Amino acid sequence: MEIGSRIKTLRESLHISQVVLADRLNVSKQTLYKYENNIITNIPSNKIELAAKILNVTPAYLMGWEENIPEHRPVSIAEPYEGQSTKCKTAINLFNELNDEGQERAIDNMMLLKKVYPRMHEPLLNAAHERTDIEITDEMRQHDDDMMDDENF
C-alpha cells in the first residue's frame, strides 16, 4: 500500500473529512486529494510527520517502512474545532505550531488579554451624546457629569 492510500484509509477509519485533514495539514483539499490518490508521491517530510501525528501513527508507518499500525494508538484528536468559529480555528492552528515555551507565553498573553477584552454576554451601550427627545437642563448635565466623575459608579 502506498503512502497516499495509507493516509486515505486512516482518515476514513477515523471519520475525518478531507476538508478537516487538509486544514490541519495546511494544504488545499485538492492537494490532499492528490496525496491520497498517489498523484503527488513526493510529499514533504513535514507534512508526513504532521499527518502521522494527526492520524495517530508513526511517519514510518505512513511511509510503508512499518507494516503494522501500533496497537495502542491514542484516540484521534483530529477534529478539535467542530462548531468553533474561524477565529478559534486559526488560534488553535497557530497555537499548535508553537513549541512548549511559545505555548506557555501564548497562554500568559491570553490571560492578560482576557482581563482587558472580556467576552461581553450583553451588548455594551456606547452612547456618548445628549438626548434629543427632551429638553436638557444645566442641572441634568451637571448630574450626568457628577456620575461620570464618581469612581464608585
Side-chain angles (χ1 to χ4, degrees), residues 119-125:
R119 179 180 291 244
M120 303 300 288
H121 295 289
E122 294 181 21
L124 180 63
L125 180 61

Side-chain angles (χ1 to χ4, degrees), residues 77-89:
I77 56 167
E79 298 206 41
Y81 334 118
E82 194 168 317
Q84 296 295 326
S85 69
T86 301
K87 289 178 190 177
C88 184
K89 292 176 187 179

Side-chain angles (χ1 to χ4, degrees), residues 43-95:
I43 301 172
S45 61
N46 65 326
K47 300 298 182 191
I48 293 171
E49 289 175 15
L50 185 55
K53 183 176 179 181
I54 294 166
L55 300 170
N56 300 310
V57 294
T58 63
Y61 175 78
L62 286 183
M63 295 297 296
W65 301 333
E66 294 176 356
E67 286 302 315
N68 298 320
I69 297 175
E71 288 183 27
H72 301 289
R73 296 189 310 149
V75 176
S76 173
I77 56 167
E79 298 206 41
Y81 334 118
E82 194 168 317
Q84 296 295 326
S85 69
T86 301
K87 289 178 190 177
C88 184
K89 292 176 187 179
T90 301
I92 291 169
N93 282 332
L94 290 170
F95 184 84

